[in-house]
Coordinates of all heavy atoms in Angstrom, one line a residue:
N16 N 59.6 121.1 34.6 CA 59.8 122.2 33.6 C 59.4 123.5 34.3 O 58.6 123.5 35.3 CB 59.0 121.9 32.3 CG 59.7 120.9 31.5 OD1 60.7 121.0 30.9 ND2 59.1 119.6 31.6
D17 N 59.8 124.6 33.6 CA 59.5 126.0 34.2 C 58.0 126.2 34.1 O 57.4 126.1 33.0 CB 60.3 126.9 33.4 CG 60.0 128.4 33.9 OD1 60.6 128.7 35.0 OD2 59.3 129.2 33.3
P18 N 57.3 126.6 35.2 CA 55.9 126.9 35.2 C 55.5 128.0 34.3 O 54.4 128.0 33.6 CB 55.6 127.2 36.7 CG 56.7 126.6 37.4 CD 57.9 126.7 36.6
I19 N 56.3 129.1 34.3 CA 56.0 130.2 33.5 C 56.0 129.8 31.9 O 54.9 130.2 31.2 CB 56.9 131.5 33.8 CG1 56.7 132.0 35.2 CG2 56.7 132.5 32.6 CD1 55.3 132.6 35.3
E20 N 57.0 129.1 31.6 CA 57.1 128.7 30.2 C 55.8 127.8 29.9 O 55.3 127.8 28.7 CB 58.4 128.1 29.9 CG 59.6 129.1 30.0 CD 59.4 130.2 29.1 OE1 59.0 130.0 27.9 OE2 59.6 131.4 29.5
A21 N 55.5 126.9 30.8 CA 54.4 126.0 30.5 C 53.1 126.8 30.4 O 52.3 126.5 29.6 CB 54.2 125.0 31.6
A22 N 52.9 127.7 31.3 CA 51.7 128.6 31.2 C 51.6 129.4 29.9 O 50.5 129.6 29.3 CB 51.6 129.5 32.4
K23 N 52.8 129.8 29.4 CA 52.8 130.5 28.1 C 52.3 129.6 27.0 O 51.5 130.0 26.1 CB 54.2 131.0 27.8 CG 54.6 132.2 28.6 CD 56.1 132.6 28.2 CE 56.6 133.8 29.0 NZ 58.0 134.2 28.6
E24 N 52.8 128.3 27.0 CA 52.3 127.3 26.0 C 50.8 127.2 26.2 O 50.2 126.9 25.2 CB 53.1 126.0 26.3 CG 54.6 126.1 26.0 CD 55.3 124.8 26.3 OE1 54.6 123.8 26.8 OE2 56.5 124.7 25.9
H25 N 50.3 127.0 27.4 CA 48.8 126.9 27.6 C 48.1 128.0 27.0 O 47.1 127.9 26.4 CB 48.5 126.7 29.1 CG 48.9 125.3 29.6 ND1 48.1 124.7 30.5 CD2 49.9 124.5 29.4 CE1 48.6 123.5 30.8 NE2 49.7 123.4 30.1
Y26 N 48.6 129.2 27.2 CA 48.0 130.5 26.7 C 48.0 130.4 25.2 O 47.0 130.8 24.5 CB 48.7 131.6 27.2 CG 48.1 133.0 26.6 CD1 47.0 133.4 27.1 CD2 48.9 133.7 25.7 CE1 46.4 134.6 26.5 CE2 48.4 134.9 25.3 CZ 47.2 135.3 25.7 OH 46.7 136.5 25.1
A27 N 49.1 129.9 24.6 CA 49.2 129.8 23.1 C 48.2 128.8 22.5 O 47.5 129.1 21.5 CB 50.7 129.5 22.7
F28 N 48.1 127.8 23.3 CA 47.1 126.7 22.8 C 45.7 127.2 23.0 O 44.9 126.9 22.1 CB 47.4 125.4 23.7 CG 46.6 124.2 23.1 CD1 46.8 123.7 21.9 CD2 45.6 123.6 24.0 CE1 46.1 122.6 21.5 CE2 45.0 122.5 23.7 CZ 45.2 122.0 22.4
C29 N 45.4 127.9 24.0 CA 44.0 128.4 24.3 C 44.1 129.7 25.1 O 44.3 129.7 26.4 CB 43.2 127.4 25.1 SG 41.7 127.7 25.7
S30 N 44.0 130.9 24.4 CA 44.1 132.1 25.1 C 43.0 132.3 26.1 O 43.3 133.0 27.1 CB 44.1 133.2 24.1 OG 42.9 133.2 23.4
D31 N 41.9 131.7 26.0 CA 40.8 131.9 27.0 C 41.3 131.2 28.3 O 40.6 131.5 29.4 CB 39.6 131.2 26.5 CG 38.8 132.0 25.6 OD1 39.0 133.4 25.6 OD2 38.0 131.6 24.7
R32 N 42.3 130.4 28.3 CA 42.7 129.8 29.5 C 43.1 130.8 30.5 O 43.0 130.6 31.8 CB 43.9 128.8 29.4 CG 44.3 128.0 30.5 CD 43.1 127.2 31.1 NE 43.5 126.5 32.4 CZ 43.3 127.1 33.6 NH1 42.8 128.5 33.6 NH2 43.7 126.7 34.7
I33 N 43.7 131.9 30.1 CA 44.1 133.0 30.9 C 43.0 134.2 30.8 O 42.6 134.7 31.8 CB 45.4 133.5 30.6 CG1 46.5 132.6 31.0 CG2 45.7 135.0 31.2 CD1 47.9 133.0 30.6
D34 N 42.6 134.5 29.5 CA 41.8 135.7 29.4 C 40.3 135.5 30.0 O 39.7 136.5 30.4 CB 41.5 135.8 27.9 CG 42.8 136.3 27.1 OD1 43.7 136.7 27.8 OD2 42.8 136.3 26.0
Q35 N 39.9 134.2 30.1 CA 38.6 134.0 30.8 C 38.7 133.0 32.0 O 37.7 132.8 32.7 CB 37.5 133.5 29.8 CG 37.3 134.6 28.7 CD 36.0 134.2 28.0 OE1 35.0 134.1 28.5 NE2 36.1 134.1 26.7
G36 N 39.8 132.4 32.2 CA 40.0 131.4 33.2 C 40.8 131.7 34.4 O 41.1 130.8 35.2
T37 N 41.1 133.0 34.5 CA 41.9 133.4 35.6 C 41.3 134.7 36.3 O 40.6 135.4 35.6 CB 43.4 133.7 35.3 OG1 43.5 134.9 34.4 CG2 44.2 132.6 34.7
R38 N 41.6 134.9 37.5 CA 41.1 136.1 38.1 C 41.9 137.5 37.8 O 41.3 138.6 37.8 CB 41.0 136.0 39.6 CG 40.0 134.9 40.1 CD 40.1 134.8 41.6 NE 41.3 134.0 42.0 CZ 41.6 132.7 42.0 NH1 40.6 132.0 41.6 NH2 42.6 132.2 42.3
T39 N 43.3 137.2 37.7 CA 44.1 138.4 37.4 C 44.5 138.6 36.0 O 45.1 139.5 35.6 CB 45.3 138.3 38.2 OG1 46.1 137.0 37.7 CG2 45.1 138.1 39.7
Y40 N 44.1 137.6 35.0 CA 44.5 137.6 33.6 C 46.0 137.7 33.4 O 46.5 138.4 32.5 CB 43.8 138.8 32.9 CG 42.4 139.1 33.3 CD1 41.9 140.2 34.1 CD2 41.5 138.1 32.9 CE1 40.6 140.3 34.3 CE2 40.1 138.2 33.3 CZ 39.7 139.4 34.0 OH 38.4 139.5 34.4
K41 N 46.7 136.9 34.3 CA 48.1 136.9 34.2 C 48.7 135.5 34.1 O 48.1 134.5 34.6 CB 48.8 137.6 35.5 CG 48.4 139.0 35.6 CD 49.1 139.7 36.9 CE 48.6 141.0 37.1 NZ 48.8 142.0 36.0
V42 N 49.8 135.5 33.4 CA 50.4 134.1 33.1 C 51.0 133.5 34.4 O 50.7 132.3 34.7 CB 51.7 134.3 32.1 CG1 52.5 133.0 32.0 CG2 51.2 134.8 30.8
S43 N 51.4 134.3 35.3 CA 51.9 133.7 36.6 C 50.8 133.1 37.5 O 51.1 132.2 38.3 CB 52.6 134.9 37.4 OG 51.7 136.0 37.5
E44 N 49.5 133.6 37.4 CA 48.5 133.0 38.1 C 48.3 131.6 37.6 O 48.2 130.6 38.4 CB 47.2 133.7 38.0 CG 46.0 133.1 38.8 CD 44.7 133.8 38.5 OE1 44.8 135.0 38.2 OE2 43.7 133.1 38.7
L45 N 48.2 131.4 36.3 CA 48.1 130.0 35.7 C 49.2 129.3 36.1 O 49.1 128.0 36.4 CB 47.9 130.1 34.2 CG 47.9 128.8 33.4 CD1 46.7 127.9 33.9 CD2 47.7 129.1 31.9
A46 N 50.4 129.8 36.0 CA 51.6 129.0 36.3 C 51.6 128.4 37.7 O 52.0 127.4 38.0 CB 52.8 129.8 36.1
A47 N 51.2 129.3 38.6 CA 51.1 128.9 40.1 C 50.2 127.7 40.2 O 50.5 126.8 41.1 CB 50.7 130.1 40.9
G48 N 49.0 127.7 39.6 CA 48.2 126.5 39.6 C 48.8 125.3 39.0 O 48.5 124.2 39.4
L49 N 49.4 125.4 37.9 CA 49.9 124.3 37.2 C 51.0 123.6 37.9 O 51.2 122.3 37.7 CB 50.6 124.8 35.8 CG 49.6 125.2 34.7 CD1 50.3 125.7 33.5 CD2 48.6 124.0 34.4
T50 N 51.6 124.3 38.8 CA 52.8 123.6 39.6 C 52.2 122.3 40.5 O 53.0 121.5 40.7 CB 53.5 124.5 40.5 OG1 52.5 125.1 41.4 CG2 54.1 125.7 39.8
K51 N 50.9 122.4 40.8 CA 50.4 121.3 41.5 C 49.2 120.6 40.9 O 48.6 119.7 41.5 CB 49.9 121.8 43.0 CG 51.0 122.4 43.8 CD 50.5 123.0 45.0 CE 51.6 123.5 46.0 NZ 51.1 124.1 47.2
S52 N 49.0 120.9 39.6 CA 47.8 120.3 38.9 C 48.2 119.0 38.1 O 49.3 118.9 37.7 CB 47.3 121.3 37.9 OG 46.7 122.3 38.5
T53 N 47.3 118.1 38.1 CA 47.6 116.9 37.2 C 46.5 116.9 36.1 O 46.5 115.9 35.4 CB 47.4 115.6 38.1 OG1 46.2 115.6 38.9 CG2 48.6 115.5 39.1
V54 N 45.6 117.9 36.0 CA 44.6 118.0 35.1 C 44.8 119.3 34.4 O 44.9 120.3 35.1 CB 43.2 117.8 35.6 CG1 42.2 118.2 34.5 CG2 42.9 116.3 35.9
W55 N 44.9 119.4 33.0 CA 45.0 120.7 32.3 C 43.7 120.9 31.6 O 43.2 120.0 30.8 CB 46.1 120.6 31.3 CG 47.5 120.4 31.9 CD1 47.8 120.5 33.2 CD2 48.7 120.1 31.1 NE1 49.2 120.3 33.3 CE2 49.8 120.1 32.1 CE3 49.0 120.0 29.8 CZ2 51.0 119.8 31.7 CZ3 50.2 119.7 29.4 CH2 51.3 119.8 30.3
Y56 N 43.1 122.0 31.8 CA 41.8 122.3 31.2 C 41.8 123.5 30.2 O 42.5 124.4 30.5 CB 40.8 122.9 32.5 CG 39.5 123.2 32.1 CD1 38.4 122.3 32.0 CD2 39.2 124.5 31.7 CE1 37.1 122.7 31.6 CE2 38.0 125.0 31.4 CZ 36.9 124.1 31.3 OH 35.6 124.4 30.9

């Protein structure tokens, strides 16, 4: 599935996943990590 769309869903579920869990506060940073991740935090 599309990484950007997946990252949007993660942000919707938990906004802190981007707001406090990334360096750039951008959806694309989370998406880039999700492409190779097998654990979602």
Side-chain angles (χ1 to χ4, degrees):
N16 290 284
D17 181 74
I19 291 293
E20 293 305 314
K23 288 180 179 179
E24 291 179 354
H25 283 219
Y26 177 71
F28 188 62
C29 174
S30 59
D31 282 335
R32 184 61 188 87
I33 290 178
D34 293 344
Q35 298 197 55
T37 62
R38 291 176 291 276
T39 62
Y40 315 112
K41 298 184 187 299
V42 172
S43 53
E44 180 187 333
L45 174 58
L49 288 177
T50 60
K51 298 180 180 178
S52 293
T53 53
V54 169
W55 296 352
Y56 176 90

